Amino acid sequence: KDKEKQHFVAKGASRQYVLFFVCITGGGLLIRQLLGGANGLNSARVNPQLLAVRRRQQKAGEPLVLKTEVEALNPHAVFTLIRGGGDPLDYRFYKKRCECLRKHLLTPFDDLAFHEGNLNDKAAGEIAQELGVRFFNLVEYGGFVVPPSATIPRLRNPGDYPLGYKHMCRFFAQQWFVILRQYKYAMRVDEDVCIHGMKDDPFRALLTSNALYGYALLTDEKHAETVMTMDTWLQEFIPSEGERISDERAKRVSSVKDEMYFTNIFISRVDWWFKPDVQRFLLAVEPYIYIHRWGDAPIQSTALKLYAPPEAVRFVRVDYTHLSTLNEIMDGMEVPMAKGGVDDSFIPPDFLMFLDKVKSDISPCVVANYYKIPGAPFSSLKPAVSAIKAVLMMRFNVTENVINMYGTFELAKALQWDLMDDPSGPLPHDQVTGLSLRS
């Protein structure tokens, strides 16, 4: 609380209206969306669309005003976060997802697609007109900003996930229900999911049973760092909750590795996530999304096991293909894909092989020569890698044992993004995807 008080004092009296607004809406997490900052993060590693919005407003002398919720046209919503891209072909799988959804889901719903401000207007316009999708720039709702509770090191950790991935986890763990609070139920269906069939309409199934959450697959957490750190953290957090968490509920989360809800498809009552106990838990886990890459699936699963009645969480059969994990879900079970999706890919295999070569063997030389670090120009991998390591060790005060944990592509990115803080250098931004990455 003292830290939050200092934060508000630093923002000045002009922001007092935010406190009042949060009090009357009951959204503790909304404070961080409205007042979140980059916490000293390099500007080059912040979402470029967010920087463009803020710089445009600053140039015009306008304050940064964030939107807070989506207007509901139906009682329920289906939503996702799309990668976007500059080429219409980047939307081929997402369009297929929308077509599959409409074929099987009968309850009227709003189909909402959030993005980072990187849409192809023509492709999005065609999808909106043909399939009734409404597109929203998540940057305008406080997305893709490091919250005040988290501190990002200037030098990325070896083997770390991109910052954009962690922003995605935060959106699906903490921000979606704030933005969608006008809806009764909201269902997530990822952009690379194609639904083949449903036993029952998920909205009707939860309405008739008065359930608050539905899942299509139980799985286990495979991210080792999450299992190690979250299990340890829960051993301290649960006793601090006292009588608010019974012994029986505490036993349900003995390890986050077991029985986690696979969240690329889920359906939930929106208002449940505003319960004070749930809000307190979500605020407590927020920093670890950025420190240890805790994902939205273990966070959601743990919150439900700690605070929701077991009978209010139910299985809903949704059979679907999940492209990014190359598997299919059939009657609550993971099965291999009949086709791995390669034949339908718009990025040819020879380019993927070339991309791997660029990342591992070529990027260190290109980046080291671009910034003319000591020893440049380089024409082979080993001298370039050694030179980059030396520069990063000196500038960030890290030891040889630590720097040797980085891969060659990580070293090149660390030089351009973390040390030089340069969005216009030779390597594309971490969040560039699809055909924009290829070009």
Side-chain angles (χ1 to χ4, degrees):
K1 289 183 178 179
D2 289 338
K3 185 177 179 181
E4 290 182 351
K5 187 183 297 181
Q6 293 171 6
H7 181 68
F8 290 125
V9 169
K11 290 294 180 181
S14 63
R15 293 298 182 94
Q16 288 180 356
Y17 74 91
V18 174
L19 292 175
F20 174 73
F21 180 76
V22 170
C23 287
I24 63 174
T25 58
L29 287 169
L30 193 56
I31 294 176
R32 282 149 177 81
Q33 285 186 233
L34 291 171
L35 300 183
N39 288 302
L41 182 68
N42 287 7
S43 62
R45 287 172 63 189
V46 177
N47 177 273
Q49 285 77 35
L50 175 61
L51 287 177
V53 170
R54 287 185 168 174
R55 286 167 180 165
R56 204 163 49 239
Q57 290 173 324
Q58 289 173 353
K59 189 174 182 180
E62 301 172 357
L64 179 61
V65 179
L66 297 181
K67 301 175 183 178
T68 58
E69 59 188 291
V70 167
E71 180 184 3
L73 305 182
N74 282 290
H76 314 301
V78 176
F79 73 103
T80 190
L81 177 63
I82 63 174
R83 295 189 179 192
D87 193 286
L89 284 176
D90 291 331
Y91 302 84
R92 187 161 72 173
F93 295 128
Y94 174 65
K95 185 176 180 181
K96 180 67 175 177
R97 169 265 193 197
C98 296
E99 293 169 348
C100 294
L101 186 64
R102 274 154 183 75
K103 183 178 179 181
H104 296 284
L105 193 56
L106 302 178
T107 298
F109 63 93
D110 289 351
D111 198 352
L112 313 175
F114 293 92
H115 59 89
E116 305 171 40
N118 59 340
L119 283 186
N120 178 287
D121 292 336
K122 181 180 178 182
E126 290 176 354
I127 294 173
Q129 184 174 6
E130 180 181 347
L131 298 168
V133 177
R134 296 160 63 195
F135 292 90
F136 299 91
N137 187 345
L138 187 57
V139 172
E140 297 176 353
Y141 291 83
F144 293 92
V145 177
V146 179
S149 64
T151 301
I152 306 298
R154 286 186 60 84
L155 177 62
R156 65 191 65 211
N157 294 318
D160 202 2
Y161 280 69
L163 186 60
Y165 183 89
K166 297 176 182 179
H167 288 324
M168 179 271 292
C169 292
R170 181 176 176 234
F171 170 68
F172 284 119
Q174 297 188 317
Q175 295 179 297
W176 67 270
F177 57 85
V178 177
I179 301 171
L180 303 183
R181 62 183 177 273
Q182 289 192 15
Y183 295 93
K184 185 175 182 66
Y185 282 98
M187 181 177 179
R188 172 183 172 182
V189 179
D190 277 358
E191 67 171 332
D192 61 346
V193 162
C194 181
I195 293 176
H196 304 309
M198 299 175 176
K199 182 179 180 182
D200 299 300
D201 183 297
F203 290 117
R204 295 178 184 175
L206 265 66
L207 279 166
T208 55
S209 62
N210 199 29
L212 63 87
Y213 191 88
Y215 64 91
L217 174 68
L218 275 175
T219 185
D220 59 338
E221 175 58 79
K222 298 176 177 62
H223 184 236
E225 187 175 340
T226 295
V227 175
M228 292 175 61
T229 56
M230 197 170 187
D231 282 356
T232 301
W233 180 84
L234 283 169
Q235 291 175 19
E236 297 180 356
F237 175 79
I238 291 175
S240 73
E241 287 286 87
E243 296 180 356
R244 289 188 288 263
I245 299 178
S246 66
D247 291 342
E248 182 180 352
R249 290 190 175 185
K251 290 178 182 177
R252 296 172 63 196
V253 290
S254 58
S255 175
V256 298
K257 180 176 176 59
D258 305 323
E259 290 196 339
M260 179 181 71
Y261 306 125
F262 203 30
T263 53
N264 52 22
I265 282 186
F266 73 82
I267 180 171
S268 178
R269 274 277 297 263
V270 177
D271 59 2
W272 182 82
W273 298 93
F274 287 97
K275 289 172 60 70
D277 289 348
V278 179
Q279 286 276 296
R280 186 170 54 254
F281 170 79
L282 292 177
L283 289 172
V285 302
E286 185 178 64
Y288 303 103
I289 296 173
Y290 293 88
I291 299 171
H292 297 300
R293 202 239 71 178
W294 290 3
D296 53 279
I299 291 173
Q300 274 197 15
S301 302
T302 303
L304 289 160
K305 291 177 181 179
L306 289 178
Y307 301 110
E311 64 274 10
V313 179
R314 58 165 292 175
F315 170 71
V316 290
R317 178 169 178 177
V318 180
D319 297 338
Y320 62 94
T321 298
H322 189 213
L323 188 62
S324 62
T325 54
L326 295 180
N327 64 355
E328 296 193 25
I329 311 303
M330 301 290 291
D331 196 15
M333 301 288 291
E334 291 183 79
V335 297
M337 287 182 66
K339 293 179 70 175
V342 177
D343 294 341
D344 199 29
S345 176
F346 51 75
I347 298 183
D350 59 340
F351 171 72
L352 295 176
M353 294 175 60
F354 170 71
L355 187 61
D356 288 339
K357 183 76 172 176
V358 169
K359 287 181 176 181
S360 61
D361 296 350
I362 301 176
S363 63
C365 291
V366 172
V367 176
N369 291 341
Y370 183 86
Y371 295 110
K372 299 185 171 98
I373 67 173
F378 300 96
S379 57
S380 58
L381 177 64
K382 190 173 180 179
V385 167
S386 297
I388 294 175
K389 285 181 176 180
V391 170
L392 296 178
M393 288 168 62
M394 292 295 295
R395 295 296 295 273
F396 291 108
N397 295 322
V398 294
T399 65
E400 184 179 12
N401 289 337
V402 172
I403 208 69
N404 284 338
M405 297 170 66
Y406 289 78
T408 55
F409 186 49
E410 288 181 310
L411 291 168
K413 291 196 294 184
L415 179 58
Q416 176 178 326
W417 295 106
D418 302 347
L419 179 59
M420 298 302 180
D421 192 12
D422 184 8
S424 60
L427 296 182
H429 195 276
D430 279 338
Q431 290 161 235
V432 175
T433 61
L435 293 181
S436 298
L437 175 63
R438 179 179 179 179
S439 61

